[in-house]
Amino acid sequence: MEEYGKELIKTFIPIVLGCVAGFLSFLISNGIRSRDPLGIIILVFLIYVNKFIMPKLGIELESRDWAGISFMTFVSWYMIWTFLLNLS
């Protein structure tokens, strides 16, 4: 049962960080197209933040986990940022 909890955390944290990255990207870019690279830099930074958060929660990451973590963070970032850009 403990393994399921760790797997849930491995899924939940990247999704939350992706949502935070999408919101921050929207706030920083503020609809100006020349600031779009800053949004991508925020995404990369928050993918990297996973490296420090996961061990504090007792989760050891293997090399194969990074593809899934990066993908989940990217997808949630993309959905939130696109949604917010379409609202403005």
Side-chain angles (χ1 to χ4, degrees):
M1 191 67 164
E2 185 177 320
E3 283 297 314
Y4 293 119
K6 288 184 179 184
E7 292 297 322
L8 269 170
I9 292 172
K10 272 191 210 179
T11 303
F12 183 70
I13 297 296
I15 290 173
V16 168
L17 287 177
C19 292
V20 169
F23 189 71
L24 289 175
S25 296
F26 175 74
L27 291 178
I28 287 177
S29 67
N30 203 17
I32 300 171
R33 297 300 300 178
S34 64
R35 293 188 188 169
D36 282 351
L38 288 175
I40 296 169
I41 291 171
I42 291 170
L43 167 67
V44 171
F45 175 72
L46 285 176
I47 288 172
Y48 188 67
V49 166
N50 279 301
K51 179 180 179 180
F52 300 105
I53 290 177
M54 297 288 187
K56 294 212 184 263
L57 298 174
I59 297 171
E60 293 185 26
L61 296 174
E62 300 173 13
S63 59
R64 64 180 173 90
D65 293 331
W66 282 106
I69 287 171
S70 300
F71 181 74
M72 286 185 288
T73 307
F74 169 75
V75 168
S76 57
W77 165 79
Y78 186 76
M79 289 187 330
I80 295 297
W81 194 15
T82 303
F83 179 73
L84 291 172
L85 286 173
N86 284 322
L87 284 179
S88 63

